Amino acid sequence: ELKVEQNPLFLSMQEGKNYTIYCNYSTTSDRLYWYRQDPGKSLESLFVLLSNGAVKQEGRLMASLDTKARLSTLHITAAVHDLSATYFCAVVETSGSRLTFGEGTQLTVNP
Amino acid sequence: NAGVTQTPKFQVLKTGQSMTLQCAQDMNHNSMYWYRQDPGMGLRLIYYSASEGTTDKGEVPNGYNVSRLNKREFSLRLESAAPSQTSVYFCASISMRLAGSNEQFFGPGTRLTVL
């Protein structure tokens, strides 16, 4: 059974600082997703990573995928308060359709 | 395009009552999913449907049934609600095509309370 682990689960950081959220998964996968969720809201798609070495960037967020290490990272550059939210990664097994989520990382950016 | 729609948005049930949560997508996606999210927790997969006519159990299927009525619609039924099923339920869909958009879209959620 596919396991997806994120760390850290809680992250408190100051504005202007950089940090990385890690997402490890246990079996081969051909696609990985990152989502953002604000309190009381649904999930918003941030990135879809489809191949080894894929890197995508949007504003202060950059996601990468290493399929050999079964690892994805979400890097935050010069954090701002508006980035405070919970971030989830989710993985689809190779040749499958089942999408499994990590536990989520609750990010708080302090002024 | 409305994306993924869910009804109802809120529901309160008494223990033992039944209800069906409706989900529809207008993006011609093949795969649809039902998740539950408990406070402070991640999303747990209840059931999913890789394509029209197929359904499979996820991590937490007990107490639920699903129907993939057609390509657009995927419903979740609670036959005899229990307080442990109090949660927020999300429906999602994805194309699963290698080409084109692989983005997964989520509905707004249904907040269910079972008394």
Side-chain angles (χ1 to χ4, degrees):
Chain A
E1 182 179 322
L2 174 61
K3 301 286 186 189
V4 183
E5 294 183 346
Q6 286 182 237
N7 70 83
L9 299 183
F10 299 93
L11 177 55
S12 181
M13 54 192 298
Q14 286 186 311
E15 281 190 330
K17 298 293 187 183
N18 303 332
Y19 210 83
T20 300
I21 299 170
Y22 297 88
C23 175
N24 289 90
Y25 54 97
S26 61
T27 67
T28 57
S29 169
D30 56 10
R31 66 191 74 206
L32 187 143
Y33 300 82
W34 282 99
Y35 298 91
R36 169 183 172 141
Q37 186 179 37
D38 293 298
K41 303 290 187 182
S42 186
L43 280 79
E44 174 191 353
S45 177
L46 295 174
F47 302 109
V48 181
L49 302 168
L50 299 177
S51 60
N52 187 42
V55 176
K56 291 197 174 179
Q57 183 164 5
E58 180 75 32
R60 300 175 188 274
L61 300 178
M62 183 174 71
S64 66
L65 178 61
D66 181 344
T67 57
K68 293 178 182 176
R70 297 179 185 171
L71 171 68
S72 180
T73 60
L74 181 67
H75 187 72
I76 303 155
T77 302
V80 293
H81 179 70
D82 285 352
L83 289 179
S84 296
T86 299
Y87 292 84
F88 293 95
C89 65
V91 177
V92 178
E93 295 177 64
T94 301
S95 302
S97 300
R98 182 169 170 155
L99 182 68
T100 301
F101 278 77
E103 310 98 310
T105 297
Q106 187 174 318
L107 172 65
T108 304
V109 181
N110 302 304
Chain B
N1 284 352
V4 180
T5 57
Q6 288 183 238
T7 55
K9 288 190 168 52
F10 300 93
Q11 184 71 49
V12 179
L13 293 177
K14 294 181 180 177
T15 296
Q17 286 185 315
S18 62
M19 78 161 295
T20 299
L21 281 65
Q22 306 286 354
C23 174
Q25 52 93 7
D26 60 2
M27 296 168 286
N28 203 33
H29 286 172
N30 296 323
S31 300
M32 297 184 73
Y33 305 79
W34 276 106
Y35 293 91
R36 62 176 287 174
Q37 185 177 34
D38 299 311
M41 308 249 324
L43 280 80
R44 292 186 291 170
L45 182 63
I46 305 171
Y47 272 92
Y48 66 104
S49 170
S51 61
E52 186 180 353
T54 68
T55 61
D56 286 285
K57 294 179 180 179
E59 301 172 63
V60 289
N62 291 344
Y64 305 95
N65 285 301
V66 290
S67 295
R68 183 75 183 265
L69 303 170
N70 47 55
K71 194 169 187 178
R72 289 188 65 248
E73 298 171 292
F74 188 38
S75 62
L76 178 71
R77 182 159 178 85
L78 286 70
E79 291 291 351
S80 179
S84 60
Q85 294 178 304
T86 294
S87 190
V88 179
Y89 291 83
F90 289 102
C91 177
S93 73
I94 188 173
S95 69
M96 284 295 177
R97 292 193 306 264
L98 290 178
S101 173
N102 287 279
E103 205 171 339
Q104 189 190 42
F105 294 86
F106 278 80
T110 296
R111 295 182 182 276
L112 175 66
T113 302
V114 183
L115 303 175

